[in-house]
Amino acid sequence: MGGLQPWHWVIVIAVFVLLFGAKKLPDAARSLGKSMRIFKSEIKEMQSDSSSSAEAPPAKPIASERVDAPAPEQSPDRHTA
């Protein structure tokens, strides 16, 4: 009862043909294939980037200039709201 029977697949295919038409289905399958290839290549690139960054030494944090700099003094002419 958990899996789809062959006649279920026939009904699904028939619904797709009725909804999209026989002419648009090859184009839709082709663009889906291109999207999957792009997705796979991006995943491989991300994995290679993460493996190369794991081998690099950790970066040192940069000290903020604002922490070391004195706060600017306000002139008495300015009105604060």
Side-chain angles (χ1 to χ4, degrees), residues 44-73:
K44 286 180 183 178
E45 183 177 328
M46 287 175 59
Q47 288 175 346
S48 67
D49 287 347
S50 66
S51 66
S52 66
S53 67
E55 295 170 0
K60 294 181 182 178
I62 299 174
S64 175
E65 293 179 355
R66 293 186 182 190
V67 173
D68 299 331
E73 296 181 26

Side-chain angles (χ1 to χ4, degrees), residues 2-18:
L4 292 176
Q5 300 294 323
W7 62 275
H8 290 124
W9 288 109
V10 170
I11 292 172
V12 169
I13 291 170
V15 168
F16 276 119
V17 170
L18 288 174

